[in-house]
Amino acid sequence: MPIMPSSLPLTRLLRSPSPPFSTLSLLLRRAMSSAGTAAAAGAAADAFTPSNTRVGWIGTGVMGRSMCGHLIRAGYTVTVFNRTLSKAQPLLDMGARLADSPRSLAALSDVVFSIVGYPSDVRSVLLDPSSGALSSLRPGGVIVDMTTSDPSLAEEISAAASAKGCHAVDAPVSGGDGGARNAALAIFAGGDPATVRRLEPLFSLMGKLNYMGGAGKGQFAKLGNQITIVSTMVGLVEGMVFAHKAGLDVGLFISAISTGSAGSKSLDTQGNRILRRDFEARFYVDHFVKDLGICLKECERMGLALPGLALAQQLYLSLKAHGEGNLGIQALILSLERLNKVSLEHAGSSNA
């Protein structure tokens, strides 16, 4: 991996919350400067494009199906694998090929993407010695795991890939099913900057690339994202319960605060869903509990106390205990309603 010269303002700029895409490309070129101009030019010429790249895609659920679809529409040759065949059918109808295992998929691919449920699934589809993708990926191939998973597992995958002459990037995403459909995801990438740069044409079809550092740093960024979201969700549902108890029309309340300092994307997307009692999963409670558990494990490892995170995880665990793990994360309101013996079912008729 190239060494980044300390004299460059790279670190400061990469820590910017939303560096422009063009700036990112410049930073990645600078990150490779110590390897020489010839190496940088070679990496640019070797970018992954539809004419030179076969793509493998593992995981065609709510997010993966839309993300993979963008690559097919852009002209990439794509092979897919999913345990439930029906979930892959829309991509097969678009022209994708079907593989019977991650191993057979990787044998037909230059870049393998995965976006599955849990770290155990990631380990199975990528690292299993008999059926995992890495077991048949050719030297020089790249694995891109877009699952929200353990940073330590991302580092393990990177080391295993390197031992085989391959590369690995951890690139979890944020933006939900809407971001996946509209190619507007935030992508948090960790790994070798030269490899990330080669992947830019692929990532650009799914959303905005944010380079976060070496192996595992993409996962750390996504975990921080989840901590921020869950704290915002707790504030949103508590504010709604308070407004209801105070006798306010909660729909009017949400509209009123949305243009002030309390406004947020969570309020805009989730507030009215809650009032409509629309608990359909754009992101499952079960998966959110998994993410928050990883966050807490990392906090323990770092000796970090985040009491808001711990409380929020308990509230989401209570949803699972009531058999509501298959609902969307906006179902958090149900926990607060039970705690306070109230219901917001008819609390915002003017905005429902």
Side-chain angles (χ1 to χ4, degrees), residues 6 39 42 49 99 101 118 141 150 153 158 172 180 201 285 293-294 316 322 340 348:
S6 59
T49 64
S101 70
Y118 296 87
D150 292 298
L153 179 55
S158 179
V285 166
I294 296 172
Y316 274 103
H322 281 84
N340 293 284

Side-chain angles (χ1 to χ4, degrees), residues 207-219:
K208 182 178 182 296
L209 173 60
N210 302 275
Y211 179 68
M212 308 309 298
K217 297 304 184 187
Q219 294 294 351

Side-chain angles (χ1 to χ4, degrees), residues 40-264:
D46 203 22
F48 293 116
T49 64
S51 63
N52 67 10
T53 306
R54 301 168 302 164
V55 173
W57 194 282
I58 301 170
T60 59
V62 173
M63 300 285 289
R65 186 165 56 246
S66 294
M67 295 160 71
C68 182
H70 295 311
L71 304 186
I72 297 172
R73 281 187 285 270
Y76 285 92
T77 299
V78 176
T79 303
V80 300
F81 169 79
N82 198 71
R83 288 176 298 187
T84 305
L85 179 59
S86 61
K87 293 183 178 180
Q89 192 60 51
L91 298 173
L92 301 180
D93 294 341
M94 294 173 66
R97 296 179 294 183
L98 181 67
D100 61 6
S101 70
R103 178 185 176 90
S104 60
L105 174 145
L108 301 171
S109 306
D110 303 300
V111 179
V112 174
F113 288 88
S114 58
I115 180 164
V116 291
Y118 296 87
S120 58
D121 299 319
V122 175
R123 181 177 295 280
S124 175
V125 300
L126 297 183
L127 296 182
D128 187 281
S130 60
S131 62
L134 189 58
S135 65
S136 66
L137 189 66
R138 67 170 180 80
V142 180
I143 285 175
V144 183
D145 182 34
M146 306 190 83
T147 314
T148 302
S149 183
D150 292 298
S152 59
L153 179 55
E155 294 171 354
E156 183 181 345
I157 294 168
S158 179
S162 181
K164 286 202 61 175
C166 299
H167 307 278
V169 171
D170 49 291
V173 299
S174 180
D177 64 319
R181 288 195 309 270
N182 298 321
L185 294 168
I187 303 169
F188 310 110
D192 169 36
T195 302
V196 173
R197 182 168 176 251
R198 294 180 66 202
L199 291 162
E200 279 187 9
L202 291 155
F203 284 138
S204 68
L205 296 170
M206 294 180 265
K208 182 178 182 296
L209 173 60
N210 302 275
Y211 179 68
M212 308 309 298
K217 297 304 184 187
Q219 294 294 351
F220 277 117
K222 176 59 186 292
L223 296 178
N225 178 84
Q226 301 302 74
I227 292 169
T228 304
I229 288 175
V230 76
S231 298
T232 304
M233 282 299 301
V234 171
L236 170 61
V237 296
E238 287 190 343
M240 292 176 70
V241 169
F242 178 86
H244 171 63
K245 197 69 173 179
L248 297 175
D249 181 301
V250 182
L252 291 178
F253 168 73
I254 288 175
S255 178
I257 68 172
S258 66
T259 56
S261 297
S264 69

